[in-house]
Amino acid sequence: MRGILCAALFAFALPALAGGAAVADAWLRYIPGGTPAAGYFTLSNQSDKSLSLVGAECADFGMVMMHRTLERGGIFTMRPVHEVTVAPGKTFSFAPGGYHLMLMRPKHPLRPGGRLPITLRFADGSSLPVEFVVKSLQAR
Amino acid sequence: MSRLRRAWLVALALLLASCGGGGPWQLKDIKGVVPDLAFNLTDDSGRRVSAADYRGRTVLLFFGYTNCPDVCPTTLVKLAAALKDLGPAAHGAQVLFVTVDPKRDTLEALHRYARAFGSHVTGLRGSAAELRELAKRYRISYSYGTPDASGNYDVTHSSAVFVFDAEGNARLLVMPDSGEKAIAHDLKLLLGARQG
């Protein structure tokens, strides 16, 4: 009885989990010092509706933004990204040299091999908690 | 066909193949196109340095900034991996990471960042005027975005890595799509030429 009550309370307190959204290969590159870190992952949409990622949150960083590195005419530019839409049955990769989560102002030092919970937020108000692995600087 | 004639044809084919790429290089050849290595900056240990301090070494010159979480580490990791492929010969190579964001990149931050990528990487910092002069020499550009509420801003910067030989002559250009193997291949040739 108590278990059921607790489960009911939890279900009430948590925001709706994104249905059909799955994340694989979620990792961060460890950089010493307080410099921003980049987060990478592959998002797949296993539902029959399009899925729009609109942001991410992490309690261990002051701010998380979605960014894209663009290379044009020999120049690198970082552009903020407000929305990434994944069609039904498709996947989308955040990978080095392209789309990435920019995690700014770490609240404590990261440790290679550690894990970091990051919540992805979607346009329909749902969210998905994801565990990111902190990889060494040499990771690619 | 006689054996001798066939051997000649093979030799000719090999010769043509080696000429086809415009030399032995897999990276972009910039010899005689880009000015030789020259700068006056401060290294990440606080020492004033110029190109003369790196004479005798193969120099890889890259422009970036430490608040760049994606493409700067990606490039530096690729260069470090290529150098690792070279084994002990890599001691003749030096990566110089010039910050285009001297306002935020203190020498201490630059030192910590550069060393994280290996002992072959040194951070360099200049005054606004020194940086401008360097950028003009290599025709690289950089600009700053509008700071957000927390004062953070993005920096736009040149994507190429310039490679200079032991005499300071510009030789090769590493592009964003250059592979680690191509970089290692060409550095090995450059470093070998130095020893030979």
Side-chain angles (χ1 to χ4, degrees):
Chain A
M1 180 61 202
R2 204 163 146 191
I4 294 168
L5 193 66
C6 281
L9 276 174
F10 266 114
F12 195 69
L14 288 171
L17 288 178
V23 165
D25 303 324
W27 63 283
L28 291 186
R29 187 190 268 132
Y30 161 77
I31 299 178
T35 55
Y40 305 107
F41 58 95
T42 298
L43 175 66
S44 59
N45 179 5
Q46 297 165 354
S47 77
D48 53 7
K49 283 180 291 190
S50 75
L51 182 71
S52 286
L53 178 68
V54 292
E57 280 154 17
C58 180
D60 302 280
F61 284 85
M63 188 175 22
V64 184
M65 292 168 86
M66 296 199 292
H67 266 148
R68 181 186 183 187
T69 299
L70 284 169
E71 205 269 357
R72 209 177 286 150
I75 305 288
F76 280 134
T77 309
M78 268 212 300
R79 289 272 159 77
V81 173
H82 303 291
E83 190 165 0
V84 169
T85 302
V86 189
K90 299 285 181 196
T91 61
F92 190 93
S93 286
F94 278 58
Y99 285 81
H100 55 277
L101 291 181
M102 175 146 163
L103 301 123
M104 302 172 79
R105 303 196 300 274
K107 292 177 182 170
H108 49 81
L110 296 179
R111 188 174 52 82
R115 281 163 195 280
L116 205 68
I118 295 177
T119 301
L120 301 183
R121 288 190 298 104
F122 298 94
D124 63 2
S126 66
S127 60
L128 184 68
V130 178
E131 198 167 66
F132 279 65
V133 177
V134 182
K135 291 195 181 175
S136 75
L137 190 62
Q138 280 71 33
R140 278 182 286 176
Chain B
M1 196 188 295
S2 77
R3 186 173 287 179
L4 187 67
R5 180 136 174 235
R6 194 156 43 204
W8 266 110
L9 282 175
V10 169
L12 186 66
L14 282 174
L15 188 69
L16 285 174
S18 69
C19 293
W25 312 109
Q26 294 183 7
L27 302 172
K28 190 177 163 63
D29 189 346
I30 55 166
K31 192 177 179 182
V33 181
V34 171
D36 57 6
L37 190 64
F39 60 82
N40 287 293
L41 297 165
T42 304
D43 78 6
D44 60 32
S45 63
R47 201 167 56 110
R48 289 293 296 169
V49 288
S50 72
D53 293 291
Y54 300 97
R55 239 351 90 80
R57 311 194 78 183
T58 296
V59 168
L60 293 91
L61 185 71
F62 179 49
F63 298 86
Y65 63 114
T66 72
N67 276 270
C68 161
D70 178 48
V71 82
C72 297
T74 301
T75 304
L76 289 169
V77 165
K78 185 165 77 175
L79 296 180
L83 290 176
K84 203 176 167 195
D85 286 353
L86 296 177
H91 292 304
Q94 173 74 54
V95 178
L96 296 178
F97 178 73
V98 180
T99 177
V100 294
D101 189 14
K103 201 170 143 193
R104 278 188 298 189
D105 286 341
T106 60
L107 288 178
E108 193 195 352
L110 200 56
H111 181 81
R112 202 167 47 214
Y113 189 85
R115 281 311 121 83
F117 295 93
S119 54
H120 302 303
V121 185
T122 295
L124 297 180
R125 185 174 179 269
S127 64
E130 286 166 342
L131 183 60
R132 249 196 324 271
E133 197 178 314
L134 189 63
K136 198 171 150 196
R137 183 173 180 84
Y138 297 105
R139 298 175 181 219
I140 65 120
S141 64
Y142 56 94
S143 58
Y144 309 106
T146 315
D148 66 13
S150 332
N152 296 305
Y153 51 90
D154 287 343
V155 181
T156 288
H157 56 114
S158 172
S159 59
V161 179
F162 298 87
V163 183
F164 299 86
D165 65 21
E167 284 74 48
N169 303 305
R171 299 297 296 271
L172 301 160
L173 203 59
V174 178
M175 307 295 280
D177 59 357
S178 302
E180 173 193 323
K181 292 230 154 42
I183 301 168
H185 171 271
D186 284 10
L187 287 180
K188 195 172 175 184
L189 283 181
L190 264 189
L191 287 159
R194 186 185 67 103
Q195 283 156 358

